[in-house]
Amino acid sequence: MKKTLALTLLFAGTLGAVAVAQATDARARFMAANCAYCHGPDGKSRGAIPSLAGLEKGYFVQQMKEFRDGKRDATVMQKHAMGYTDAEYEAMAAWFAAIK
Amino acid sequence: MAFDRREFLKVSAGVAGAASLGTLTGCAGTGPSAGGARPKVVIVGAGFGGATCARYLKLWEPKIEVTVIEPNDVFTSCPFSNTVLAGINNMQDITFGYDNVKKVVDKWVKDTVTGIDTAGRTVKTAGGATFAYDRLVLAGGIELMFSAVQGYDAEAQKSVMHAWKAGPQTATLRKQLEAMPDGGVFVMSVPRAPYRCPPGPYERACTVASYFKKAKPKSKIIVLDGNEDIASKKGLFLAAWKKHFGYGTPDSMIDYRPNNMPRAVDPKKMMVGTEFDDVKGDVINVVPPMRAAEVCGMAGVRLGLDGKEGPWCAIDFRTFESLHVKNVHILGDSTLTNFPKSGSVANNTAKMAASAIVEMVNGREPDAAPVVTNTCYSATGMGTAFHVATVFRYQAAKKEADGKVTPPAMIAQKGGGVSKEESELEFAYMDAWAKNVWADTLGLPENFNFTVKG
């Protein structure tokens, strides 16, 4: 009985951690997944569009701001950058920085 | 999220273990899946919407039991199918297996859905099987309404192609164009908006013209448009038609006729009838009016915002669940939205729906204010392309000062719009977009060998 309880707690603990992580990140996770249709699944591109996976967080945010402000030349990216907030740039940047 | 197979197995094992232990100790979890039963999601259709939804549901919540019902053996991409008509690519370049989707879902059923009972929450197939669901996802694309065009019967459909669902139709239309003599006339049509792929017909005029320019320079293209004007990327298409195909001169390869909805086809006389006249062609390509897929009709979800029968399905933008029928989600072209009916939108909103379903089966609230994007490229057939890009943000229902209520909406954000001009760079991006959206939809591995070319 004791052993079963310990095992239950062990599993519950692991699952709990997963559940919390998912609850916290569901929005960022979707926003990042939204980039995949051009930048590839997990931000790993199969063509001329740059990959986002593993980009340093500060660099990602800086590029988004430069796209938004028209400081970096773009075809589609200014249109996308203007639709997101600074906080959303940060959330997406953190997501892609964590992908190896 | 990089979720490799080992991690996937670990989490699956964890869930299975916890579920059985939970039952043993009487320790029920929270949410609708309490008691150890796995939530069942049945997905009908594995196009850009359905296949993406299946993959992301399993990626984000492996405990969901996902069943996919799809009649086709392979995925054939509508995007890039206009390049097949031009002979730039072949059918095999836009055709992919479902292997990597089949690998991750619980059940893959090659069959056609024949009945849906939304009260009993079951789906029946032609093969005689019945599937129970907790949530149903309808991703059937569009139903073409041939009966709306006089004479467009089963016999006529043998020789008049729509090629608006990529596959054998695309291959046959390509053969007809190849067989057409130089100096021939290709008659094609544009349905009234809203329809699948707003820029698609105008792109088709471009790519077929690029083929004629090379192979049959005396030929003409007559575009019969059911709309008052070019319905998408107008300035860019007009510029491309002028630059490459003599549009606006007496020698124009393209003869564009707005307000010319095809009302009748006569394959024996090779004629398309509009309200104004009969147009003769050597190859006829008529896209009939369309509405939400047949399966949406079976489920009784072809209902507008007001709950009345309509061509498309009104959905809650946060979850893509029908506004009127519980536990039924609708994806992609079948939905009533202000999004363009594009592969990009079907892919993205499928992830939006998957994310919401994952939250709901775990007893959590879905994102209250989702943000989603569309990017859609069109090719000129001359090595260049251009795009339209938009970011949409959810806006909840609002009570105005006059007491009227504005319903929830996805608001197109400032800054969206189209390319300044066509370019080779954008064709390189279009090529990358296609590979990435195919990879994302079908789970193609990183070393997948794409053969599509520009």
Side-chain angles (χ1 to χ4, degrees):
Chain A
M1 185 64 204
K2 230 178 189 173
K3 200 175 169 190
T4 313
L5 184 65
L7 264 174
T8 309
L9 287 173
L10 179 72
F11 275 112
T14 315
L15 277 176
V18 171
V20 168
Q22 284 182 349
T24 315
D25 290 338
R27 190 157 199 277
R29 185 178 63 185
F30 169 66
M31 275 193 295
N34 192 86
C35 306
Y37 70 116
C38 291
H39 290 277
D42 295 326
K44 294 172 182 170
S45 178
R46 317 296 170 88
I49 296 171
S51 287
L52 302 176
L55 285 184
E56 196 269 316
K57 197 178 161 199
Y59 175 80
F60 183 102
V61 172
Q62 186 61 31
Q63 298 313 303
M64 290 300 279
K65 288 181 176 168
E66 290 189 7
F67 281 133
R68 178 192 63 200
D69 300 338
K71 288 180 187 155
R72 179 173 167 183
D73 278 344
T75 54
V76 305
M77 279 312 297
Q78 186 176 25
K79 297 165 180 120
H80 286 287
M82 285 178 75
Y84 288 99
T85 64
D86 284 9
E88 288 165 348
Y89 297 164
E90 298 274 345
M92 288 187 275
W95 195 270
F96 286 115
I99 297 173
K100 294 290 165 262
Chain B
M1 181 167 67
F3 213 136
D4 70 23
R5 193 167 159 75
R6 219 179 309 145
E7 279 174 283
F8 170 85
L9 287 172
K10 229 165 33 193
V11 175
S12 305
V15 170
S20 54
L21 280 169
T23 318
L24 269 176
T25 56
C27 160
T30 53
S33 58
R38 297 171 68 197
K40 287 185 168 63
V41 175
V42 173
I43 301 176
V44 182
F48 283 105
T52 303
C53 188
R55 262 179 29 77
Y56 276 85
L57 278 174
K58 291 305 292 187
L59 192 62
W60 289 340
E61 186 48 281
K63 80 174 178 194
I64 297 177
E65 192 185 307
V66 174
T67 299
V68 179
I69 308 174
E70 162 62 49
N72 293 307
D73 284 317
V74 289
F75 173 101
T76 311
S77 176
C78 281
F80 265 79
S81 65
N82 282 333
T83 69
V84 173
L85 299 182
I88 297 167
N89 285 295
N90 297 313
M91 286 307 291
Q92 57 264 34
D93 301 319
I94 62 162
T95 305
F96 304 92
Y98 281 120
D99 318 17
N100 297 288
V101 185
K102 287 178 184 173
K103 257 186 236 167
V104 297
V105 300
D106 298 272
K107 273 184 216 148
W108 179 274
V109 183
K110 181 187 147 47
D111 208 341
T112 303
V113 168
T114 50
I116 294 170
D117 172 5
T118 56
R121 289 192 290 179
T122 57
V123 176
K124 279 189 165 44
T125 65
T130 302
F131 301 91
Y133 67 81
D134 295 306
R135 291 188 176 272
L136 175 65
V137 176
L138 299 177
I142 49 165
E143 177 183 5
L144 295 170
M145 298 156 76
F146 294 99
S147 60
V149 182
Q150 200 190 329
Y152 210 167
D153 54 19
E155 192 54 35
Q157 288 169 42
K158 287 180 189 163
S159 55
V160 179
M161 296 297 113
H162 53 79
W164 219 242
K165 295 182 180 185
Q169 286 266 332
T170 315
T172 302
L173 183 54
R174 169 62 189 164
K175 279 191 197 118
Q176 292 175 340
L177 290 168
E178 279 186 287
M180 191 184 92
D182 190 11
V185 175
F186 172 52
V187 180
M188 57 166 285
S189 77
V190 189
R192 277 193 69 76
Y195 56 86
R196 162 179 280 183
C197 193
Y202 312 104
E203 181 194 63
R204 178 168 290 183
C206 280
T207 58
V208 173
S210 77
Y211 165 61
F212 286 170
K213 194 173 169 173
K214 266 189 302 200
K216 306 173 182 191
K218 285 183 267 177
S219 307
K220 297 277 181 212
I221 301 172
I222 298 175
V223 182
L224 301 176
D225 196 335
N227 301 286
E228 301 73 43
D229 203 348
I230 296 173
S232 174
K233 302 176 183 169
K234 180 184 169 185
L236 290 159
F237 279 115
L238 284 177
W241 290 355
K242 280 179 192 157
K243 182 174 178 185
H244 304 292
F245 313 118
Y247 190 71
T249 71
D251 293 330
S252 178
M253 188 168 266
I254 297 170
D255 173 357
Y256 174 71
R257 303 182 186 178
N259 291 310
N260 267 264
M261 171 91 135
R263 304 280 180 194
V265 294
D266 185 339
K268 287 203 185 79
K269 294 183 185 157
M270 288 303 278
M271 203 114 85
V272 182
T274 72
E275 268 172 33
F276 306 104
D277 53 355
D278 293 328
V279 182
K280 247 183 104 56
D282 297 281
V283 176
I284 292 177
N285 169 214
V286 172
V287 183
M290 57 191 76
R291 59 178 175 179
E294 290 88 335
V295 287
C296 299
M298 288 177 205
V301 293
R302 271 198 207 114
L303 304 168
L305 291 172
D306 55 7
K308 288 184 189 145
E309 194 90 19
W312 310 106
C313 309
I315 44 99
D316 182 328
F317 287 110
R318 292 164 303 182
T319 59
F320 279 69
E321 187 171 1
S322 165
L323 280 182
H324 309 291
V325 181
K326 278 211 166 318
N327 304 311
V328 181
H329 300 252
I330 304 114
L331 300 181
D333 296 346
S334 289
T335 55
L336 175 67
T337 71
N338 54 323
F339 306 136
K341 296 188 185 300
S342 72
S344 293
V345 164
N347 168 276
N348 267 345
T349 55
K351 287 176 264 188
M352 219 166 131
S355 186
I357 290 171
V358 166
E359 294 309 291
M360 290 188 292
V361 300
N362 284 302
R364 297 188 295 257
E365 284 293 312
D367 188 350
V371 189
V372 73
T373 68
N374 174 55
T375 307
C376 159
Y377 289 94
S378 301
T380 62
M382 303 300 288
T384 57
F386 42 78
H387 75 269
V388 60
T390 316
V391 178
F392 299 90
R393 301 184 77 92
Y394 184 77
Q395 179 186 281
K398 272 198 311 196
K399 200 163 183 183
E400 305 294 344
D402 60 6
K404 277 187 193 149
V405 176
T406 308
M410 292 299 290
I411 306 295
Q413 298 300 291
K414 206 177 77 179
V418 299
S419 308
K420 284 189 206 83
E421 58 189 358
E422 64 177 68
S423 69
E424 288 176 13
L425 176 66
E426 288 215 32
F427 189 72
Y429 287 163
M430 177 173 172
D431 169 87
W433 165 82
K435 291 169 181 169
N436 284 323
V437 77
W438 291 331
D440 192 48
T441 300
L442 300 166
L444 305 178
E446 274 183 73
N447 62 358
F448 187 85
N449 182 29
F450 292 102
T451 55
V452 73
K453 56 207 166 292

